[in-house]
C-alpha cells in the first residue's frame, strides 16, 4: 500500500539494514493513528526518528533484592517485582552505566534496597537524567528515610567512577506510594538541576520538572507545532501544559506575547528562570490548572489568537476545551502523546465547531508502542 511505502521512506535505516523491524514498527504506529483519528482530519505520514536506539534521557531504576543479591531495574509488568536490568536499548547508555556503578557502590557501602512489603531498607530508586546537547547528568537517589549513612563518601566515590555526573540529589520518599520522587530533597553535589539546549534555547530542568524524553525528535515536533501555529509576530499565544516553558519560549520569537500555564510549581519556577536565562521578556507563566486558568482567561477581555496545548497522557478536560473554544482563537495546535485521549478531545472540539485539519504522527518513543501526534484544529467559519 502506498501509505506504508510513504512511512517507510522516513526510516533512516531502510537502505542499510535489510530486515530490521523499525520501518514495520513505524507503519504499525501510523496505522493505529489512522484507525483512531482518520475521521477527524487528514493523517500525514509518520515521521520516524533518526536515532531509534538509546534515545531516552530519563531513566528510573527501582532497587530490590533477589536471592540475597541487590538488583536494580524495572518492575515486572503489573507487579512491583524488580527485574534486574543491566542495559536497555532505548535508554541513554551513560545512565545504564551510572546505575550499574551505584549498585556496586551500594554493596560496598552496605546500603540496602528498600522493601515495599516490610518497609525496611533505604534505597528505593535511582533516577538519572541526561542532557543531550550539554552532556550534563543529574543523579537522584530516592531514599525511604532522610538519613543516608556515609553520603559524603558515597558521593565522592560515585563522582570518581562517573566524572560525567554534574549534580547529585537525594529525594526523600517516606510514603507507601508508587510515585518515584518524594516531597523533600537534599542537594548532595552540584547545582541541583541540569541544562539542555533545544531549538537554540537553553533550558534548566529540575528533578521534578517534566522534560521531553527524546530531545532530538522533540526539536522536530516543536518546529512543526510552531509552524502550524502560523505565527506572524502579532499574536497572543497560550502555551498550555507548558512544563519548563520550552514550546512557548521557542515560539516567543514569533509572537507578540506568550502566556504559559502549568500545574507543577517547580516546573513554573524553571520556566521563569528559562525566560530570564534566554533574555525573553514577552512571556509570563502561571502555576495553575490549565482548565481553571483558561476558564478565567476566556471570561476576561484578554484576546487569544493561538492556543498550543500539550497535556499529559490522560489528555485535556471538557472544562479546558469549553474555555478554549469560548476564547475564540483562530488556531489550536494540540501536541498529544496518546492518540486515544486525543480522539476523545478532538470530538469535544468538533462539537464546538473547531475542526481538525491535519494530524501528523511522530515516532517520539521508538521501540515502544507509544506514538506522538500533532493536530491542527481551526475554527470553522459559520
Ligand atoms: N509542553 C511541555 C510539557 C508537556 S508534559 C514540554 O513539551 O516539555 C505535560 C505537562 O502538563 C507536565 O509538565 C504536567 O506537569 C502538566 N500538567 C498536568 N496536569 C495539568 C493541569 N491540569 N494543568 C496544567 N498543567 C498540567
Amino acid at each position: 500500500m502506498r501509505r506504508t511505502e510513504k512511512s517507510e521512506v522516513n526510516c533512516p535505516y531502510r537502505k542499510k539494514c535489510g530486515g530490521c523491524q523499525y520501518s514495520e514498527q513505524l507503519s504499525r504506529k501510523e496505522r493505529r493513528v489512522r484507525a483512531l483519528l482518520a475521521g477527524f482530519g487528514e493523517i500525514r505520514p509518520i515521521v520516524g526518528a533518526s536515532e531509534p536506539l538509546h534515545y531516552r534521557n530519563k531513566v528510573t531504576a527501582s532497587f530490590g533484592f533477589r536471592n540475597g543479591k541487590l538488583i536494580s531495574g524495572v518492575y515486572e509488568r503489573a507487579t512491583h517485582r524488580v527485574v534486574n536490568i543491566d542495559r536497555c536499548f532505548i535508554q541513554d547508555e551513560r545512565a545504564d552505566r551510572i546505575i550499574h556503578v551505584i549498585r556496586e557502590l551500594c554493596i560496598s557501602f552496605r546500603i540496602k534496597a528498600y522493601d515495599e512489603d516490610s518497609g525496611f531498607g533505604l534505597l528505593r530508586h535511582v533516577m538519572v537524567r541526561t542532557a543531550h546537547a550539554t552532556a550534563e547528568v543529574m543523579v537522584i537517589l530516592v531514599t525511604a528515610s532522610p538519613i543516608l549513612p556515609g553520603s559524603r563518601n558515597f558521593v565522592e566515590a560515585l563522582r570518581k567512577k562517573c566524572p560525567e555526573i554534574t549534580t547529585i540529589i537525594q529525594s526523600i520518599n517516606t510514603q507507601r506510594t508508587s510515585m518515584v520522587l518524594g516531597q523533600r530533597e537534599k542537594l548532595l553535589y552540584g547545582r541541583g538541576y541540569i541544562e539542555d539546549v533545544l531549538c537554540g534555547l537553553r533550558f534548566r530542568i529540575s528533578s521534578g520538572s517534566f522534560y521531553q524524553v527524546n530531545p532530538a525528535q522533540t526539536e522536530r515536533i516543536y518546529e512543526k507545532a510552531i509552524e502550524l501555529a502560523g505565527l506572524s509576530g502579532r499574536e497572543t499565544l497560550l502555551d498550555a501544559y507548558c512544563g519548563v516553558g520550552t514550546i512557548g519560549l521557542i515560539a516567543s520569537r514569533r509572537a507578540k506575547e506568550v502566556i504559559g500555564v502549568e500545574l507543577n510549581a517547580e516546573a513554573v519556577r524553571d520556566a521563569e528562570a528559562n525566560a530570564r536565562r534566554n533574555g525573553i521578556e514577552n512571556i509570563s507563566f502561571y502555576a495553575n490548572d490549565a482548565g481553571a486558568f483558561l476558564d478565567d482567561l476566556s471570561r476576561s477581555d484578554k484576546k487569544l489568537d493561538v492556543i498550543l496545548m500539550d497535556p499529559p497522557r490522560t489528555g485535556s478536560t471538557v472544562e479546558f476545551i469549553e474555555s478554549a473554544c469560548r476564547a475564540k482563537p483562530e488556531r489550536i495546535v494540540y501536541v498529544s502523546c496518546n492518540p486515544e485521549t486525543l480522539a476523545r478531545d478532538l470530538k469535544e472540539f468538533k462539537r464546538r465547531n473547531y475542526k481538525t485539519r491535519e494530524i501528523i504522527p511522530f515516532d517520539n518513543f521508538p521501540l515502544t508502542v507509544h506514538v506522538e501526534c500533532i493536530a491542527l484544529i481551526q475554527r470553522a467559519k459559520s
Side-chain angles (χ1 to χ4, degrees), residues 210 212 222 241-243 246-247 262-264 288-290 310-312:
F210 176 90
Q212 297 282 347
Y222 285 176
Y241 309 90
C242 69
T246 42
I247 304 182
E262 157 67 43
L263 194 57
N264 176 343
N288 202 342
D289 168 73
D310 184 9

Side-chain angles (χ1 to χ4, degrees), residues 18-29:
C20 113
Q21 298 181 351
Y22 189 53
S23 60
E24 179 46 40
Q25 224 185 81
L26 284 177
S27 13
R28 210 177 313 136
K29 290 190 187 191

Side-chain angles (χ1 to χ4, degrees), residues 134 136-138 166-169 185 187-196 202-206 277:
T134 63
E136 291 186 21
V137 178
M138 172 192 287
T166 53
T167 191
I168 304 176
I169 294 163
E185 62 180 47
L187 184 58
L188 301 180
Y189 169 68
R191 303 190 287 189
Y193 58 85
I194 51 169
E195 288 188 340
D196 203 359
R202 214 172 165 92
F203 295 100
R204 164 180 123 173
I205 306 136
S206 298
R277 177 85 170 76

